[in-house]
Amino acid sequence: MTTDTSTRTPDHADLETLFVNNEELGQIERYLGRFNPIRVMKMERMEIRHSAILAWLLDPLETHGLADGFLKAFLCEALRGHDIDTYPTALDISLMDLRDAEIRCEWQNIDIFVFSAAENIGFIIENKFDSRQHEGQLAKYSKKVADLYEFQGIEPKIRGVFLTLYEEEPEDESYAVIDYDDICALLSGFMDRQDMPLTPEVKIFLKHYLEVLKEATGMSEEQDKMEKLARQLYRTHKKALDFVMEHGASSDFAIAARTVFGDNTDYLDEVRIDKNAYLFGYLGSEQVSFLPQKWYKAFGEDQTEWPISGDWWMAYPLIIWIEIRENDDGVKGQLRLFGEVGPLSNHEFRSGLIEAIEQAAKDSGSSRIKFQKGAADEGRRYSKFFKSNMIEVKDIQDAEEIAEAMKKLLQRFKPEFDAIATILPQFIEYAESAE
């Protein structure tokens, strides 16, 4: 759909309605203006700071008051269902007393190392928040630790844990995987527990840290609410906001996305990119969402309503979005493409959809579709499933480079989009007529 540019210039009344005593805009401004010391110090994207905070939480002797509770919960979640024939398993950990555990941060270039002399076990925790693993890195750490302890005449059992923000798979399959979604769930649980009362200072700090993690993982209900409000605000005041974005400050990512998806594109408008069709969703300063046309048609287009629980990008069970993240240097960054199953209230539908997507991956021979463990568990709300989904960006202020990277990601995942489209029609029974 193309809009006549002559209709895009707002008048004084349009701008006044948007900016003067607009409570919706005020809510968003208050949300963006919240105080968070981690964000104030610009530490929310710094991997080494996340390692330091997690090392503090894992240390039984630290001031958080959790003893070895968080350490055991973290290790149990990582090892749950992973290589159950290798000691220790999650069940073994649950029966241990790890209050003697020593926690080392950035020791021997290892992000976090855990060692219990009483149990004679050690854990290498490799933390990947924004950075990528290097070839042979995980196996090298395991050998280095084994050699160091062997030199001391000790032969502990060493296991590896791979902590990831983007549900990345470790190169070394002996490493168990845990993601930051799990950290959010664990910390939320500990904050609500009555048997481990936390001091007010610790609660405040953990609240700030959880806020950072939930926004990074897409688990923040408050962020979801504000994003939904922002989309509603945009649809209501599209003419005025488009004018402001065009003539005021705009992110280079947004400029790139408009170059790729069209300058005047609105919600559910069809766009063609390299001869492939997509339905536009939402554009922000760091994210753009959309659906392949084949998915949209398989979902019954706009004639159905789906059992979605809570705020969600679009009114469909699946979504794709592209997101940019800057590196610590503020110059380079990464462009990532995500596919995700949303918060469906019907568990049978949600688990069946995940299983069907996994089967589509097998049938098509795709290695770029893979869910994390527990994705289909009851109670899970958001489940990402694309792997090898990142392109490095040399300059995050180069809109042309970002636009080309977007097109490359779309082209790379075209086979996966098509494979998933084949399994979607079978789920139309879970939709209701919108009429």
Side-chain angles (χ1 to χ4, degrees):
M1 179 185 296
T2 302
T3 304
D4 184 353
T5 56
S6 64
T7 67
R8 296 182 62 225
T9 302
D11 56 23
H12 183 272
D14 292 325
L15 295 173
E16 194 173 71
T17 301
L18 172 60
F19 292 110
V20 177
N21 294 331
N22 187 326
E23 176 55 26
E24 291 179 333
L25 188 61
Q27 288 183 51
I28 294 173
E29 288 176 342
R30 289 191 293 273
Y31 170 75
L32 295 175
R34 294 160 303 150
F35 171 73
N36 186 309
I38 298 173
R39 195 179 294 112
V40 168
M41 293 183 285
K42 301 187 182 301
M43 290 164 47
E44 69 269 30
R45 305 305 310 180
M46 297 175 67
E47 189 172 273
I48 192 171
R49 302 307 178 199
H50 285 278
S51 293
I53 293 171
L54 290 170
W56 174 73
L57 285 166
L58 293 168
D59 193 336
L61 300 178
E62 270 293 356
T63 54
H64 43 62
L66 300 174
D68 65 346
F70 184 78
L71 171 60
K72 290 175 65 173
F74 175 91
L75 295 175
C76 282
E77 184 61 31
L79 296 175
R80 183 166 61 93
H82 181 269
D83 199 4
I84 59 175
D85 294 325
T86 300
Y87 179 85
T89 65
L91 185 58
D92 294 324
I93 294 294
S94 69
L95 300 174
M96 291 179 181
D97 182 345
L98 296 179
R99 285 176 294 179
D100 75 310
E102 178 185 359
I103 312 297
R104 301 181 183 181
C105 196
E106 301 302 323
W107 174 71
Q108 299 291 328
N109 294 322
I110 295 170
D111 292 327
I112 304 172
F113 183 68
V114 180
F115 181 71
S116 168
E119 298 290 346
N120 197 34
I121 56 173
F123 294 90
I124 298 167
I125 301 175
E126 180 62 17
N127 177 24
K128 294 299 180 188
F129 196 84
D130 269 335
S131 63
R132 302 178 66 189
Q133 56 188 310
H134 305 297
E135 185 175 353
Q137 179 183 21
L138 303 182
K140 181 182 70 175
Y141 290 158
S142 298
K143 184 178 186 308
K144 179 187 289 187
V145 171
D147 290 345
L148 285 170
Y149 277 97
E150 183 180 359
F151 181 75
Q152 302 174 43
I154 305 173
E155 294 186 19
K157 178 62 183 178
I158 304 296
R159 294 211 63 175
V161 175
F162 188 72
L163 171 60
T164 170
L165 175 62
Y166 295 110
E167 300 184 353
E168 183 182 0
E169 293 296 321
E171 288 186 351
D172 188 333
E173 294 183 356
S174 69
Y175 275 64
V177 179
I178 184 171
D179 57 45
Y180 274 93
D181 291 24
D182 298 318
I183 302 298
C184 287
L186 291 175
L187 282 179
S188 297
F190 275 102
M191 290 183 70
D192 294 335
R193 287 177 62 168
Q194 301 301 316
D195 59 329
M196 290 184 175
L198 304 175
T199 66
E201 293 82 4
V202 170
K203 278 190 174 181
I204 291 171
F205 176 76
L206 291 182
K207 176 179 176 292
H208 288 312
Y209 188 52
L210 262 175
E211 183 180 280
V212 168
L213 290 188
K214 285 183 176 181
E215 291 184 359
T217 58
M219 294 177 66
S220 171
E221 293 183 4
E222 187 176 10
Q223 183 180 27
D224 289 343
K225 180 181 177 181
M226 288 299 107
E227 288 177 355
K228 183 177 182 180
L229 181 61
R231 289 192 286 271
Q232 292 173 344
L233 193 66
Y234 178 73
R235 292 168 195 164
T236 303
H237 303 280
K238 183 178 186 302
K239 183 164 63 174
L241 284 170
D242 281 348
F243 184 82
V244 172
M245 289 294 290
E246 181 176 349
H247 298 282
S250 179
S251 74
D252 294 285
F253 175 87
I255 293 171
R258 286 198 295 271
T259 300
V260 174
F261 287 89
D263 196 32
N264 304 319
T265 312
D266 203 353
Y267 181 68
L268 291 185
D269 280 353
E270 180 179 319
V271 297
R272 290 197 167 269
I273 305 169
D274 294 335
K275 300 181 180 179
N276 299 311
Y278 302 91
L279 276 296
F280 182 78
Y282 165 77
L283 172 62
S285 61
E286 297 178 342
Q287 299 165 325
V288 59
S289 64
F290 54 93
L291 283 177
Q293 184 192 55
K294 290 182 179 178
W295 293 14
Y296 179 66
K297 288 186 174 180
F299 285 140
E301 303 183 20
D302 57 353
Q303 302 303 311
T304 54
E305 290 184 351
W306 296 91
I308 295 172
S309 174
D311 295 332
W312 182 233
W313 298 81
M314 297 172 73
Y316 301 92
L318 299 177
I319 189 65
I320 297 174
W321 81 92
I322 295 176
E323 177 178 289
I324 195 165
R325 292 288 178 90
E326 69 177 61
N327 292 350
D328 291 346
D329 62 9
V331 177
K332 298 179 181 178
Q334 303 147 9
L335 206 66
R336 293 180 184 264
L337 181 144
F338 295 94
E340 189 170 40
V341 177
L344 302 172
S345 58
N346 187 315
H347 176 63
E348 178 187 21
F349 172 28
R350 193 174 193 280
S351 60
L353 179 58
I354 289 173
E355 290 171 4
I357 292 173
E358 290 176 325
Q359 187 60 50
K362 292 179 182 177
D363 294 343
S364 65
S366 173
S367 61
R368 290 195 287 257
I369 298 176
K370 188 174 182 180
F371 288 91
Q372 285 288 85
K373 65 180 182 181
D377 290 353
E378 194 158 6
R380 290 296 290 263
R381 289 168 56 80
Y382 307 100
S383 301
K384 302 182 185 71
F385 52 82
F386 282 148
K387 308 299 177 185
S388 302
N389 59 337
M390 188 269 286
I391 289 181
E392 297 281 359
V393 177
K394 295 179 180 178
D395 184 356
I396 60 172
Q397 296 183 342
D398 186 337
E400 186 175 346
E401 181 189 3
I402 295 170
E404 287 303 312
M406 285 183 183
K407 292 179 181 179
K408 287 179 182 178
L409 280 173
L410 292 174
Q411 194 61 39
R412 178 191 300 176
F413 280 85
K414 179 64 165 53
E416 281 70 28
F417 298 164
D418 291 345
I420 292 172
T422 64
I423 56 94
L424 297 181
Q426 63 183 287
F427 295 101
I428 196 71
E429 63 180 286
Y430 292 98
E432 298 179 357
S433 173
E435 298 178 352

